[in-house]
Amino acid sequence: MADAYTRIADAIVPSVYAQYSFEEHVQSLDIYQAGILFSDPAIASKLSMGGRSVDMPGWKDLGNDPSEPVNDDPADSIEMKKIGARREVAARNVRAQAWGIPDLTSILAGDDPQKLIVRRQTDYWQRANKLTLLGILKGVLADNIANDGSDLVRVTGASIVDTDIIEAAYLMGDRADKFKTIWMHSKQMKALKLADLIDYVPSSEQGGPLIPYYMGLRAVVDDDIPVAGGVYTAFMFKDKAILWNELPVNTEGGPLEFDRKPRQGHGGGVTEMVGRRHFCSAQNHLAPPRNFSWHQIARFQRPLKVVPAPAS
């Protein structure tokens, strides 16, 4: 892909004394406040020693074998049981993005876009990491469909009803009530609102926004949710479902590096900026007390006609 620079045509050249401003992208970052992601300093410590990934071995829970009555026969020994192990892997992600600002752009715009780029790094990487997370989730969904007979996918057809959420949750059996959050597209939320199926709970923050809930699940709305062929995908999560560790960028250039190109722009000069982030992510499938699953998925298909569940 060819390099792209912020040129004069991409900026607003204001009148004298006018204030230069910019319009932020409107994207939901509620997923970061919903309790789905968690970090583990031990994983970050292991990755600091190098490598593409780190193994996270853990013990499975004890089985559900019933206890047995004892007797007084010395020759009767109770059968021994074993405990199983589980091997999980946290993958290292090394990501970068670059921006170029010709000096003439700053002069004519009356403001320095370089300062804006620096100031918006945190917000940009939140959005970029969210897209990476969605890519991971899409991969888990595709793997479950291809290799596990869609045993953790609920295809709802052309409507959203309360019973669909119940059916999806109970794909996890007696752990169905562990789900805390549903991540959905705004068109799904619109359909649920029109059917008056959304409840609002005040946040703990003084004067904070009301938090939407659907059937006891915190609803996070985001238009970056996958949509393909008229099919809208919603994800259901338990608390602390995904391990997500930010790692230090210990390369020579660091997390944000600047490079001057004085000859570019026919001598006008260009400043290039490269932002970098290192992180690791993994499905939280470790032994208790962190035994959660995050690939519970419900698929909602358009047209989004909501049919309320029948009264009991």
Side-chain angles (χ1 to χ4, degrees), residues 17-286:
Y17 306 116
Q19 188 73 27
Y20 191 81
S21 63
F22 73 98
E23 181 177 313
E24 296 183 4
H25 289 288
V26 180
Q27 294 199 42
S28 170
L29 298 177
D30 289 347
I31 195 67
Y32 291 96
Q33 285 82 45
I36 295 171
L37 308 181
F38 79 103
S39 61
D40 186 342
I43 301 299
S45 176
K46 290 181 180 179
L47 280 169
S48 68
M49 296 182 287
R52 293 177 180 270
S53 61
V54 59
D55 286 335
M56 302 184 298
W59 297 109
K60 296 181 180 179
D61 200 0
L62 298 180
N64 292 327
D65 304 282
S67 61
E68 301 181 16
V70 302
N71 59 46
D72 60 355
D73 183 356
D76 186 6
S77 296
I78 192 169
E79 180 184 354
M80 301 301 295
K81 303 295 190 300
K82 67 178 181 178
I83 184 171
R86 187 193 307 275
R87 176 178 176 267
E88 302 291 341
V89 177
R92 181 195 300 271
N93 283 266
V94 180
R95 301 272 176 162
Q97 187 54 271
W99 299 267
I101 307 101
D103 291 0
L104 186 59
T105 301
S106 300
I107 294 170
L108 297 184
D111 189 63
D112 188 359
Q114 180 175 308
K115 295 178 182 179
L116 172 65
I117 293 171
V118 172
R119 192 168 66 244
R120 298 295 296 170
Q121 283 294 298
T122 298
D123 293 320
Y124 166 76
W125 283 107
Q126 278 187 329
R127 297 194 301 269
N129 289 347
K130 179 189 67 177
L131 295 176
T132 301
L133 173 58
L134 282 170
I136 294 171
L137 290 170
K138 288 169 66 177
V140 171
L141 184 151
D143 177 76
N144 183 257
I145 293 173
N147 300 314
D148 297 300
S150 304
D151 62 346
L152 291 175
V153 177
R154 167 72 177 175
V155 180
T156 68
S159 65
I160 305 175
V161 299
D162 293 350
T163 52
D164 288 323
I165 295 296
I166 296 171
E167 292 282 1
Y170 273 90
L171 291 172
M172 295 297 291
D174 59 7
R175 292 180 293 172
D177 61 351
K178 300 296 184 181
F179 290 108
K180 302 296 182 183
T181 305
I182 182 168
W183 196 7
M184 67 175 70
H185 195 277
S186 65
K187 288 196 174 182
Q188 295 168 317
M189 172 60 83
K190 176 183 176 182
L192 295 172
K193 279 188 175 181
L194 289 173
D196 198 22
L197 297 176
I198 300 297
D199 298 317
Y200 289 90
V201 176
S203 64
S204 58
E205 179 184 351
Q206 182 69 26
L210 294 176
I211 300 174
Y213 279 80
Y214 173 52
M215 293 193 66
L217 302 175
R218 177 170 176 170
V220 177
V221 182
D222 195 320
D223 282 348
D224 285 323
I225 286 289
V227 180
V231 177
Y232 290 75
T233 300
F235 302 96
M236 296 169 62
F237 300 90
K238 301 178 182 182
D239 283 339
K240 296 183 179 179
I242 303 172
L243 170 70
W244 192 279
N245 267 55
E246 291 283 342
L247 305 173
V249 182
N250 292 325
T251 57
E252 182 178 351
L256 189 60
E257 184 174 10
F258 297 82
D259 188 25
R260 282 292 297 169
K261 303 292 185 182
R263 295 175 58 192
Q264 292 188 11
H266 205 70
V270 171
T271 297
E272 295 182 347
M273 305 168 60
V274 179
R276 304 181 183 93
R277 287 296 185 275
H278 298 179
F279 59 90
C280 68
S281 60
Q283 172 184 353
N284 188 3
H285 242 180
L286 300 181

